[in-house]
Structures are given as C-alpha cells and as structure tokens.
Amino acid sequence: MQTTRSDMIGTPTGRLAAQLLFAACVAVFAVFFAWPVLLTVAEGFSEPVSGGKRSWTLRYVADVFGDPVLRRCLTHSLGLALTVTGLSVLVAMPLAILATRYEFPGKRLLVPLLLVPLVLPPFVGAIGMRHLLGRFGALNSLLGALGIIDPDHPIDFLGGARFWGVVLVQTLYLYPIVYLNVSAALANLDPTMEQAAENLGAAFGLRLRRIILPLILPGMFAGCTIVFIWSFTELGTPLMFDYYSVAPVQVFWGIQEMSTNPRPYALVAVMLSVSAGLYLAATLVFGGRSYAMTTRAMTGEAARRLGPAGGVAAAAFVAAVIAAAVLPHVGVLLTSLAGPGSWYRSVLPQRWTFEHYTGALRHPLAAGSIRNSLFYAGLATLLDIALGFTMAYLSVRVRIRGRRLLDTLAMMPLAVPGLVLAFGYVAMTLRWPFPQLADWCRSHGWEKAAALMQVTGEAPNPAMFLIIAYAMRRLPYVVRSAAAGLSQVSAELEEAAANLGASRIYTVRRVIVPLVIPNLIAGGLLAFSFAMLEVSDSLILAQTEEYYPMTKAIYALFARLGDGPYIASAMGAWGMALLTVTLIGASLMLGRRLGAIFRM
C-alpha cells in the first residue's frame, strides 16, 4: 500500500534537522508576514506615551469612522466587494454546473476559455475598458452608427458610473476563482445522493437547493472569500477608473504621511478588521448550516447530454460569458495597436501600428521596469521554490509536531490583502532596526545598502521589500503545487534509498525532487508570472522611477499624454502573453489539480 509519510525522521539527527527547518519556516512567516501585519494593527490602535512606550487607544479608529470622507470610502469599498462577490457567484455557479454535469456543443473548446480572464489583471484590463466605454469610445460610436443614440450626446458610462465600471472589470476577472472552487466541490459530490433524490421525484431546483448547495458551501465560500478580500482591497482598478472614493486609494495617498499621521495605519487596520471579521462571521454562519457526506465521490457522475435546444442555450450562455470576459483583453490589444489619436469617435482604430510594442521594449521607463520586474519576480520565484518545497515536504512527508501549521501559514497570504502586507512593509522601514541600519550604512559610506532599508524618503530602493512581498504573496501557489506532487510519490522510494545507505538530503535531491520537478516548475511559473504583474505591492512600495516594476510603470505611463497610454497597453499585452503561456504550461503539468492552487 502506498504511503505518503516517511518514518526516517525517527533518528535524533533527523528530528533535529526537521525541527530546525520547521522553526526556520515559522520564523520567516513571523518576520515577513506576522510582524508587518501586527505592526500596522498596533500603529492603528495605539498612540505614543512618555518614555517611548505606547498605549492602546481607539481614537484613531474613531477618527476614521468620524471622518465623512473616509466613512464614505469604506462604505463604497464594502459595497464594491459585496457586489463583485455576488455577481461572481451568479456567473460562476451556472457555469460550474454546466461544465461538470452536462454535455453540450463546443464544450471542449468553450470550457477551457472560461479561465481566460486570469491572463490579464483588472488593473490592466481597465485601460481597454476605458477605450471601449469612454464617452467617445467604441461602444458609443457603435450605438451612434446604429442610430440608437445621438453621437454628439453619448452615454457617459464611466463618468457617473465609475462604481459599476470597477464592478464590471473586477467581476469579469474574478469569477474564475469562484468557478474553480465550485467546480472542484461539485466534482467531489457523491452522485448517488442526487440520483436517489431524483428517483424520489425531486426536480433539479429542489435538488440544487436541498442537496447540492449545502454540500458545496465550503468550496463556494472559499472562492467567495478570495474574491471579497481581493475586490475590497484592490487598488489598481479604482485608480485606472479615477474612482478615488474607496479605501485602498485613500491608503495609497496616505503613504507619504505615515511617519507623522497615524490615520493611514488606522484605515488599514479597519480594512483588515472588516475582512477578518466578515470571514469569521461567514465561517460561523455557513459552518453551522453545512452538511457532511458519508462518502466522497469515488467515480464521477457521467455528464448528461442536453437536448438540441438545451445544448444550444448552454453553449450560447457560456460563449456570452467568454465574450464579455475577453472585452478588457480586446480593448487592451486594440489600444496597443492603435495609432495615437486614431481611436476617437470610431468603433475601431483608424490607424494601426506595431510601434508601441517595440516602444515598450525601448522606452526608458518601460524597458527599465520590465528589467526590474524580471529581476524582482525571478528572485521571488527562487525563494518561493526553496521555501515552498521545504514547507510542502515537512507537511506532507514528515511526522513532526505542528506540521499542519505550515499548510495554514502557507495559505494565509491568500486571506490577508496584499495592500495590508505592502503597507506593513512600509511601516517596518520606519521602525527599529531599519532606520538605525540605514544610518549605520551611511556612516560607513554604503549609500546603496542604506537605500535598501527605505521605501519612502530620499532616494529609497524598494528592491528588497518588493522581492519579499512578491515571494510571500505567491508562495501558496508553489506550496500547493509541490504538495500535490509529493502526495503522489510513494514514501517507499525514500525508505528503499535509506536501506541502501543514502542520506535524507541525498534522497531528496536525487529521488524526490526529480519526481516532483514538473509540479515545482508549474508552481514556479505561476508565482513568477503573477509576480511580474503584481499590482498593490508594486504601486505602494515603488516610489522612485528608477526602481519601478512593470505595473507601476504601466500606471505612470497611462497618466502621461502622447503615446504613454498606448505603450502602457502594449506592456499589458506583453504581460498577457506571458500569463497565457504560463497558465497553459501549468495546466498541462498539473491537469485538474491546477484549480487547487487558487483555493484556500
């Protein structure tokens, strides 16, 4: 019988090595995850007193709720997150049911395309949507050409409806997260339960309400949690839509005041408290109403073939969702190919060019940011592979006390907003020991080393903190991918190697790693690609053009006149191509296990 855990840890040396690795992993999370988050919360809920000490206070948090502007921003952010989450469920639920339970024309082609939104962050997709939905953009031009509206009095889709513009872009990007979780939950259902209910005369609606939904609530809730936290704290899309009346934008604007004004800390602490509080509340509510299956599905239920009318309707629905989901992609591609000023009052650009793609590789800011992102994301991926494999190995293969904690720690970056983590890193640089280390480096003439200790102030170099932020944010992908590979490799191989006199390190290096290398490559590719297009960390931590990563450069270029928005779109298209290749490669390597990477 195949086993997944090894007994080789029983030697004193093996126990000591495992405990040291376990302690090192926990220490990494304590320093680079728990400390920045707790520091932000402590600064928001405390104030300095005599003797350099701090006392707990709710005054700053009360100021946040007492300020009508910040209170309105929090309300808008909460409404945005709830709306995006609800719409994502409404879109993803029927898609998951159709994909897992039914056969319809074009299914093999259409269903994989449901993940297309993942190849373009909403921050970049907002560029394309602005050209499509602008007052004199493609949609209004089309409506005017059809005689539906007066071309001189177009509909202001983005002027008075920025909220819905952000909702649209984020929903089209995030629904695959819910779709992957619900699909996995549906695949694990025991089909005999539904079949028994159907034999008793229960209609599909009754089966859905009384059997399917209660059983898939944990999976649905996992996806909804990621979507809610993401949309509640997402910074890039509101900035691109000029929708500033949300909490993340207020945090972004408050970065430079952190050393003198505690309000940004309090606002971030409130956002974190809201996310954590709603998560815990929903866990208690849904946890009490969930139902357990006596068995998991040992064999999947055969997909039912829909009739001609039903099959056409299902294919049309899936195709319509895909068509809507690719609108941001189409907008970005068309913008990147449009000649400057040629896409105005027209459905399509009047002049086409590839110059923006070469410009994205030659423009000083664009080219420099791509090099920076390659450097940051590359080092972050190497850190993720080393730390992720270690954590996966300890949690899957080794009998050691506290191993379950490692999997929990690895998944926590999915539950804590990237905005909060990035803000925490800025706070770290303002507290001991970083200012002291910076002063010591300057006293020895090491100006470059001193700059690494700063994110704000004069001549900061955020490279170190960007690499750490990227690594922490994308570590779950590598851990889940490595754990999936290790669970399929029998521990008997390690025991056989040990019986032949091989050390554990030698066995891991020559036996285990070669067997799970496809999983490590897949997780590493995902970590690298998503780090290349990381938004919140990049916008907050990179304050100097010399060190801009790719997404910060896209934001800066989009705000410039001339060819800036077009070069920004071309950079987004390059990033889209990178993510497309990455997801295809990871899907080929991981198969159906790809969805587990996006689940909490």
Side-chain angles (χ1 to χ4, degrees), residues 88-100:
S88 296
V89 172
L90 291 177
V91 173
M93 176 65 74
L95 291 174
I97 293 175
L98 288 173
T100 58

Side-chain angles (χ1 to χ4, degrees), residues 3-370:
T3 58
T4 58
R5 297 199 181 278
S6 174
D7 295 324
M8 295 163 59
I9 200 67
T11 64
T13 303
R15 283 197 300 269
L16 178 61
Q19 290 167 357
L20 289 176
L21 286 175
F22 176 83
C25 293
V26 173
V28 168
F29 270 84
V31 174
F32 297 113
F33 187 82
W35 183 23
V37 172
L38 293 176
L39 180 61
T40 300
V41 174
E43 292 288 340
F45 285 94
S46 66
E47 61 181 350
V49 294
S50 59
K53 298 181 180 180
R54 304 186 68 88
S55 64
W56 292 102
T57 180
L58 295 176
R59 181 161 63 92
Y60 301 133
V61 174
D63 289 344
V64 169
F65 288 102
D67 187 325
V69 174
L70 294 182
R71 188 169 62 247
R72 184 171 63 252
C73 290
L74 280 171
T75 302
H76 289 172
S77 294
L78 184 60
L80 182 69
L82 291 173
T83 305
V84 170
T85 303
L87 290 177
S88 296
V89 172
L90 291 177
V91 173
M93 176 65 74
L95 291 174
I97 293 175
L98 288 173
T100 58
R101 298 299 179 89
Y102 298 101
E103 289 288 344
F104 52 86
K107 177 180 177 179
R108 291 189 177 183
L109 173 64
L110 292 174
V111 168
L113 294 178
L114 290 172
L115 301 182
V116 164
L118 294 177
V119 306
L120 184 69
F123 163 73
V124 180
I127 298 176
M129 294 302 287
R130 288 191 58 154
H131 279 87
L132 294 175
L133 301 179
R135 293 186 70 246
F136 296 101
L139 180 56
N140 275 321
S141 298
L142 177 61
L143 295 177
L146 296 175
I148 299 176
I149 64 171
D150 182 355
D152 295 324
H153 298 85
I155 301 173
D156 193 1
F157 289 107
L158 302 180
R162 290 188 176 94
F163 174 88
W164 292 107
V166 176
V167 165
L168 175 64
V169 172
Q170 289 189 348
T171 301
L172 292 177
Y173 176 73
L174 293 173
Y175 82 80
I177 304 297
V178 180
Y179 165 78
L180 286 169
N181 282 273
V182 173
S183 297
L186 287 170
N188 287 330
L189 291 183
D190 187 351
T192 60
M193 301 182 69
E194 266 194 273
Q195 292 167 3
E198 186 176 7
N199 291 337
L200 292 173
F204 176 76
L206 182 61
R207 300 199 306 272
L208 177 66
R209 182 168 57 89
R210 299 297 298 273
I211 297 176
I212 297 176
L213 284 179
L215 291 175
I216 67 171
L217 271 180
M220 183 189 298
F221 172 66
C224 289
T225 300
I226 297 177
V227 170
F228 177 88
I229 293 174
W230 193 314
S231 54
F232 182 62
T233 60
E234 212 262 325
L235 172 62
T237 307
L239 280 176
M240 299 302 282
F241 274 103
D242 300 328
Y243 185 57
Y244 303 138
S245 185
V246 288
V249 174
Q250 300 301 316
V251 171
F252 178 63
W253 285 347
I255 290 294
Q256 299 300 332
E257 302 177 0
M258 289 177 61
S259 59
T260 58
N261 186 359
R263 183 170 292 184
Y265 289 106
L267 182 57
V268 173
V270 169
M271 294 179 65
L272 180 60
S273 300
V274 170
S275 298
L278 288 176
Y279 175 81
L280 292 175
T283 300
L284 293 175
V285 172
F286 289 115
R289 296 177 57 188
S290 63
Y291 301 87
M293 290 180 292
T294 56
T295 60
R296 291 170 64 96
M298 300 302 294
T299 59
E301 182 181 12
R304 301 183 181 182
R305 180 168 296 278
L306 294 170
V312 171
F317 173 71
V318 176
V321 172
I322 294 171
V326 300
L327 280 177
H329 307 65
V330 173
V332 170
L333 290 175
L334 291 177
T335 305
S336 67
L337 294 170
S342 66
W343 198 7
Y344 181 74
R345 288 181 176 266
S346 61
V347 178
L348 294 174
Q350 300 301 301
R351 184 164 56 85
W352 304 86
T353 179
F354 286 96
E355 293 179 359
H356 307 312
Y357 285 88
T358 57
L361 302 178
R362 291 199 305 258
H363 190 283
L365 177 57
S369 70
I370 293 174

